[in-house]
Amino acid sequence: MTVVEQRPAAPAAPPPRRTNRLWALLRNSWRQLTSMRTALVLLFLLAIAAIPGSIFPQRAVNAERVTQYYQAHPDLAPWLERLGGFEVYASPWFASIYLLLFTSLIGCVVPRLLDHVRALRMAPPEAPKRLERLPEHAEPFPRAGEPAEVAASVARDLRRRRWRTKVREAEDGSWTVSAEKGHLKESGNLLFHFALLAVLIGVGFGHWYGWHANRLLVGGNASGFCNTLTQYDDSTLGPRVQPADLPNFCLKLTDFDATFQSTGQPKTFLATVQVTQDGGPAETRKFTVNDPLRLGDANVYLLGHGYAPVLKYTDRFGVSQTKVVPFLPIDAMQTSEGVAQFPDVNIDPKTDKRDSTLQMGFEGRYLPTAPTDGRATSAFPAEDNPMLYLTAYRGDLGLDVGTPGSVYSLDQGQLASGELKNVSGTRPHALKLGGTWTLDDGTKLEFVGTRPFATLSVRHDPTQGLVLAGAVLGLIGLMLSLGGHRRRVWFRARRNTDLTGSSASSGGTLLAAGGLPRTDYPGFPDEFKAVVKAAEEGTP
Amino acid sequence: MAELSNQLMAAAVLAYLIAMVCYAGEYAFGKRSRIGRAAIRPVEAKQLVGAGATVPADTVPADAVPPVVVETSETPAGRDRGELVGRIAVGVNVLAVLLHLGGLVTRGVAADRMPWGNMYEYILSTTFIASAVWIGVVLARPAVRHLGLFASLALVVMLGAATMIAYTPVGPLVPALNSYWFIIHVSTIIIGSGIFLIGAVPAAMFLIRNGYDEGKRKFPYTLGKHVPAAVTLERLTFRLHAFAFPLFTFGALIAGPIWAEASWGRYWGWDPKEVWAFISWVVYAGYLHARATPSVKRTVATWIALLGFVTMLMNLFGVNLFFEGLHSYANAG
Ligand code: HEM
């Protein structure tokens, strides 16, 4: 158990005056807020408030699941939205709990810090009158020498054992040694609680001044990107970050290596990139899962990978176009789905007019290793037997309407209205690597090859270091606090007046000792015995 | 090797069961055994500081003197059977822990990695720590041996649940787990959680014993008759929790975020596993607070520790089964 030191009660309040009511109310509320009980209640509220975030999908974790939830529970979802159920950890009620908790924390630890500093500067307190009533005590024993000398020697010995000591002379001519140890416990405790504050501040600033963005990057020299918002698939800037603040760098994925176990489980990934920072020279860097590319003001994380088939379409007029289209993996064996859209084809070179009924779209699957049994799922994530299964559509792709469509699927509205028609039958057409598919109108699609792509997350959190430092200091404080023990021992040295012996005249000292553990400390009796034994023997 | 691991685990569960029966046997002998007598010896409410003593500043904690269980010198003539059965129980328990360890090691060898790659292995490791710590406690302090019945019961239940709902064949690690932070993060959490788990046993028994001491004689309280004195239980509870807390803090709130930063790009993302680790941490912090607050009763504080246990179970089993998150090793089966 820990005995929390009682601070002296505040001096009696002056007779109540009307004007003081508000002040008193404020002061009482503050006392309430900074009490340990309130801290306990707030801790519980915090724990309970965190639960919904693990039950309902969180937008910050996975926005897609929130959309799914909306579809599954159309009645409930708007209500949850209003209550912040999809953004629990950014909701006002969650914030109000931890802000109250941290206000309480400040109100609690600042006075304790002052008390502690005072206690550190104060000498250990005077010995109680009757040492034999302390939980640990030793029968008085004789030692040679004057009381003052003995006391000084005992104190010296204790100091060597890193006790804080104070020697005092009492009115009756006896000398006392007061010694105290274990202030590190309270220091650790304060360190821990202040470190919590540092962590909270760090997290808050990180949120304000951090940013992150995602990008799917296809390998090859032609397709790099630079760190500007328009070149990302999606991005989130902290409230205090302007687009112009983003550091200046460009990335190109020159190589991507993936190795797999025979079971298809991935073994290693390695992305090789060319980086140019601030217009400097290009350098080649490599990074992988668990080991991000750390640039000065941003880190690039490798989150996933896949294949982008390279498709060459040759239209009625013999004009060809080549597109590299990333297909998104839908299972662990890299069965991937995607779409290739060719809006600017079949343009009559004579009129130079685009016929929107002749745009082409191809939708389907890519299997890096097509199984021998003809199933349409990949058997292995590496490209051992690449195969494309595609369905061709002709008509208006609906790309001009202005509504940004997905680049991974065809416009469902156009398909439903019949403006975009299936022209290859119900069974998807299988295309081997290098194969060419001649469509009903004589146009051709060639499966030229594939390129790897990597999904990257680019992030910057300026206070990550502060948060880590806070957490580590907090842990150190915690261990000091939980492992430390405050305890006191006292010695009283009196002139030995035992007249039954002959030593009365020869002087000598009678030394009594007592000890008080101020926290739960089962090892104290042994320590006390050791201290007393050392005092009995004295130091030569 | 994988087969051997399964057999060793089955043997371990069997040994835990036998140990449990032996503990129960000693329990039934009740106060005839030395431990039993020690258990029911009333705690001397020593008057530590007399009136008028000038102890400075603060009062002496009421339990400043540990209620040492005095080893009575003489056992009654004729072998004390309860004692004997109790010793056998501890022996079988040690054997069970060794089998458990064997099961873990062979599993690791079979998979050629640390045996913490999925939920099944994670539970196996956590319960092993819980069990090993329990053996450590009981060897150091035979006076708490009566808790063995409840400790082995808890282990058998958890191991059974692990085998039934989480069994996973041996498999390799996904690359995301292939990092030395994996070892640091998971091992410290496993050790911390294991100690928290076993800490719930003295916590529950303290509440029961305390109720018994207060004169309650209905079902769970009758179990309190032969367990160690309430103060001993309460202190053991605290020491286990105080030891586990920094370990868990390091594993879940420092090593975990460091690894998450390197692997997912953010140190904290409120993934369900993270949420529940946070909840457990806050609840155990609440326990330590409550225990340090003189105005909060020890029973209340101990209830909080048990609440922490519930959140740990949620983290071990519930999160893996109910929620879907980034922690791929959390996937059951
Ligand atoms: C932000 C949430 C908080 C957390 C996570 C937290 C955590 C902890 C933990 C784990 C301990 C036990 C370890 C130790 O003895 O140092 C502790 C002790 C303590 N906390 Fe907090 N705390 C929080 C807020 C507060 C607040 C608001 C107060 C004041 C009202 C407070 C006052 C104390 C005191 C006085 C102790 C020392 C108990 C002793 O003497 O052992 N804490 N805290």
Side-chain angles (χ1 to χ4, degrees):
Chain A
M1 176 174 98
T2 306
V3 181
V4 174
E5 198 153 350
Q6 300 288 316
R7 251 172 271 137
R17 260 182 289 153
R18 282 194 160 270
T19 47
N20 270 352
R21 276 237 183 117
L22 181 68
W23 176 238
L25 180 72
L26 279 177
R27 207 174 45 180
N28 276 340
S29 321
W30 179 249
R31 281 218 185 111
Q32 277 289 324
L33 181 65
T34 57
S35 77
M36 279 285 268
R37 265 163 182 270
T38 311
L40 256 184
V41 170
L42 288 172
L43 274 173
F44 273 106
L45 283 178
L46 190 66
I48 292 168
I51 296 177
S54 69
I55 298 174
F56 304 117
Q58 297 297 296
R59 197 158 280 133
V61 178
N62 192 336
E64 215 167 286
R65 275 243 190 91
V66 178
T67 318
Q68 285 166 12
Y69 194 89
Y70 259 94
Q71 281 156 7
H73 310 271
D75 303 328
L76 196 59
W79 279 103
L80 273 174
E81 185 76 71
R82 245 163 275 168
L83 296 173
F86 300 123
E87 270 150 9
V88 166
Y89 308 105
S91 69
W93 43 272
F94 193 75
S96 62
I97 295 174
Y98 69 72
L99 288 179
L100 267 179
L101 183 58
F102 276 83
T103 316
S104 165
L105 184 58
I106 294 170
C108 177
V109 294
V110 169
R112 264 174 56 211
L113 179 67
L114 299 180
D115 282 352
H116 186 55
V117 169
R118 218 170 290 138
L120 278 179
R121 293 165 62 190
M122 233 159 50
E126 175 68 281
K129 282 219 177 59
R130 311 178 67 169
L131 292 181
E132 69 277 14
R133 284 195 166 169
L134 288 171
E136 291 301 323
H137 49 88
E139 290 298 317
F141 50 87
R143 237 185 87 166
E146 285 297 306
E149 289 164 22
V150 170
S153 142
V154 167
R156 218 179 312 120
D157 201 41
L158 282 167
R159 266 199 296 279
R160 204 168 298 141
R161 292 162 180 258
R162 312 226 325 280
W163 290 75
R164 290 154 33 83
T165 56
K166 171 83 184 170
V167 181
R168 294 185 178 88
E169 185 177 10
E171 282 166 11
D172 62 358
S174 66
W175 288 74
T176 59
V177 181
S178 311
E180 190 171 31
K181 206 171 178 177
H183 276 301
L184 216 51
K185 181 184 179 64
E186 179 71 357
S187 308
N189 189 301
L190 288 169
L191 177 63
F192 170 72
H193 285 90
F194 275 103
L196 283 182
L197 286 175
V199 168
L200 184 79
I201 292 169
V203 171
F205 272 83
H207 173 69
W208 282 344
Y209 291 97
W211 55 269
H212 57 93
N214 295 316
R215 162 86 196 206
L216 186 153
L217 185 58
V218 178
N221 269 332
S223 48
F225 80 103
C226 291
N227 187 34
T228 54
L229 287 192
T230 50
Q231 301 208 16
Y232 283 111
D233 302 329
D234 61 86
S235 57
T236 313
L237 300 190
R240 301 292 165 87
V241 183
Q242 300 303 320
D245 297 340
L246 299 194
N248 180 4
F249 65 84
C250 298
L251 273 192
K252 217 180 267 175
L253 183 66
T254 51
D255 198 11
F256 189 88
D257 251 339
T259 58
F260 302 92
Q261 250 127 6
S262 57
T263 54
Q265 287 238 20
K267 222 162 40 189
T268 59
F269 297 129
L270 186 67
T272 311
V273 288
Q274 227 172 51
V275 195
T276 7
Q277 294 189 70
D278 290 320
E283 42 168 340
T284 302
R285 302 270 295 263
K286 289 175 192 290
F287 64 103
T288 179
V289 182
N290 280 327
D291 184 15
L293 170 66
R294 300 206 184 266
L295 306 170
D297 287 321
N299 298 323
V300 184
Y301 302 87
L302 180 61
L303 296 188
H305 75 114
Y307 301 101
V310 183
L311 296 173
K312 180 173 165 193
Y313 178 72
T314 310
D315 68 13
R316 306 173 174 206
F317 305 99
V319 183
S320 22
Q321 272 186 26
T322 304
K323 295 220 158 186
V324 184
V325 278
F327 275 38
L328 300 184
I330 57 168
D331 66 17
M333 294 301 172
Q334 291 281 337
T335 306
S336 320
E337 290 184 345
V339 55
Q341 308 192 73
F342 295 91
D344 300 317
V345 290
N346 296 319
I347 299 172
D348 191 337
K350 290 189 209 108
T351 58
D352 211 17
K353 276 219 356 232
R354 193 158 98 173
D355 185 344
S356 68
T357 62
L358 291 180
Q359 295 180 338
M360 289 302 299
F362 299 89
E363 195 172 51
R365 282 191 172 184
Y366 173 62
L367 317 185
T369 300
T372 43
D373 61 7
R375 266 182 308 131
T377 49
S378 177
F380 195 69
E383 294 180 298
D384 289 346
N385 180 24
M387 185 81 83
L388 265 174
Y389 285 100
L390 292 179
T391 304
Y393 296 86
R394 189 180 306 127
D396 187 348
L397 291 169
L399 297 177
D400 304 328
V401 192
T403 47
S406 163
V407 293
Y408 302 109
S409 66
L410 293 171
D411 188 318
Q412 294 302 309
Q414 297 299 100
L415 286 174
S417 70
E419 306 236 20
L420 189 58
K421 282 200 226 34
N422 179 340
V423 292
S424 66
T426 46
R427 280 183 64 93
H429 184 85
L431 255 180
K432 273 195 177 352
L433 187 66
T436 303
W437 179 16
T438 309
L439 297 168
D440 59 340
D441 59 352
T443 59
K444 293 194 185 79
L445 184 76
E446 188 187 348
F447 176 19
V448 181
T450 65
R451 294 228 203 114
F453 71 79
T455 39
L456 304 178
S457 176
V458 184
R459 291 177 170 259
H460 177 53
D461 183 342
T463 52
Q464 221 159 260
L466 173 64
V467 173
L468 180 61
V472 170
L473 284 178
L475 183 65
I476 293 171
L478 186 65
M479 291 196 294
L480 290 176
S481 170
L482 287 172
H485 306 284
R486 274 190 79 183
R487 62 263 194 204
R488 290 176 179 159
V489 295
W490 291 275
F491 285 92
R492 177 167 284 122
R494 268 180 219 293
R495 194 170 301 279
N496 194 345
T497 52
D498 184 1
L499 292 175
T500 56
S502 58
S503 59
S505 52
S506 67
T509 297
L510 211 51
L511 205 52
L516 176 67
R518 303 196 48 209
T519 50
D520 188 3
Y521 181 21
F524 185 66
D526 288 338
E527 183 183 30
F528 180 75
K529 274 191 205 103
V531 165
V532 171
K533 189 150 179 279
E536 262 181 73
E537 287 161 1
T539 333
Chain B
M1 225 22 158
E3 198 43 44
L4 178 61
S5 166
N6 292 348
Q7 284 160 359
L8 282 171
M9 282 319 300
V13 170
L14 191 66
Y16 281 124
L17 276 170
I18 297 174
M20 197 168 104
V21 171
C22 295
Y23 282 123
E26 184 190 19
Y27 198 83
F29 282 107
K31 64 177 178 191
R32 276 202 279 141
S33 80
R34 176 157 57 91
I35 304 284
R37 280 195 312 277
I40 54 169
R41 190 193 323 280
V43 193
E44 302 157 55
K46 263 200 202 166
Q47 196 54 40
L48 292 169
V49 182
T54 48
V55 176
D58 40 59
T59 50
V60 179
D63 57 352
V65 177
V68 188
V69 176
V70 189
E71 306 268 320
T72 43
S73 43
E74 242 82 347
T75 36
R79 265 262 159 234
D80 188 337
R81 269 194 296 166
E83 176 81 24
L84 183 66
V85 177
R87 281 169 192 256
I88 292 174
V90 174
V92 178
N93 199 336
V94 170
L95 180 69
V97 173
L98 293 177
L99 287 169
H100 196 156
L101 178 64
L104 266 184
V105 170
T106 46
R107 177 106 189 165
V109 172
D112 194 21
R113 57 173 167 74
M114 294 294 172
W116 314 319
N118 52 50
M119 177 184 167
Y120 172 69
E121 296 172 0
Y122 180 72
I123 298 175
L124 243 49
S125 306
T126 309
T127 45
F128 167 72
I129 295 293
S131 184
V133 169
W134 157 248
I135 283 297
V137 168
V138 81
L139 290 182
R141 300 224 244 151
V144 299
R145 196 161 70 210
H146 265 338
L147 293 184
L149 173 55
F150 308 97
S152 37
L153 177 67
L155 284 167
V156 166
V157 169
M158 279 193 279
L159 281 175
T163 315
M164 276 192 301
I165 60 182
Y167 181 77
T168 319
V170 171
L173 277 187
V174 293
L177 295 186
N178 212 344
S179 150
Y180 56 88
W181 283 108
F182 168 63
I183 298 179
I184 298 172
H185 163 65
V186 182
S187 65
T188 44
I189 289 200
I190 283 175
I191 297 174
S193 315
I195 303 175
F196 275 140
L197 286 184
I198 205 67
V201 172
M205 295 321 287
F206 162 69
L207 290 173
I208 289 173
R209 171 76 205 209
N210 195 59
Y212 184 83
D213 288 347
E214 283 169 4
K216 297 191 183 134
R217 290 294 180 270
K218 284 228 198 71
F219 163 59
Y221 298 108
T222 46
L223 292 177
K225 198 167 165 194
H226 302 313
V227 296
V231 192
T232 312
L233 290 170
E234 204 280 332
R235 177 170 294 120
L236 182 62
T237 306
F238 173 68
R239 303 208 46 222
L240 288 172
H241 283 85
F243 189 74
F245 190 76
L247 275 170
F248 188 77
T249 305
F250 175 75
L253 272 63
I254 295 184
I258 289 178
W259 182 25
E261 191 280 327
S263 150
W264 297 324
R266 83 288 184 291
Y267 55 83
W268 193 265
W270 298 110
D271 173 77
K273 201 97 197 162
E274 293 172 354
V275 171
W276 280 91
F278 173 78
I279 292 173
S280 294
W281 187 75
V282 168
V283 172
Y284 281 121
Y287 164 67
L288 294 179
H289 261 196
R291 198 179 181 275
T293 313
S295 62
V296 176
K297 277 202 240 141
R298 283 295 155 89
T299 45
V300 175
T302 308
W303 275 113
I304 300 177
L306 284 183
L307 189 66
F309 174 73
V310 173
T311 65
M312 291 306 290
L313 286 188
M314 185 66 195
N315 224 339
L316 263 183
F317 293 95
V319 173
N320 305 308
L321 299 178
F322 304 146
F323 308 127
E324 200 180 311
L326 288 168
H327 281 80
S328 52
Y329 61 87
N331 296 338

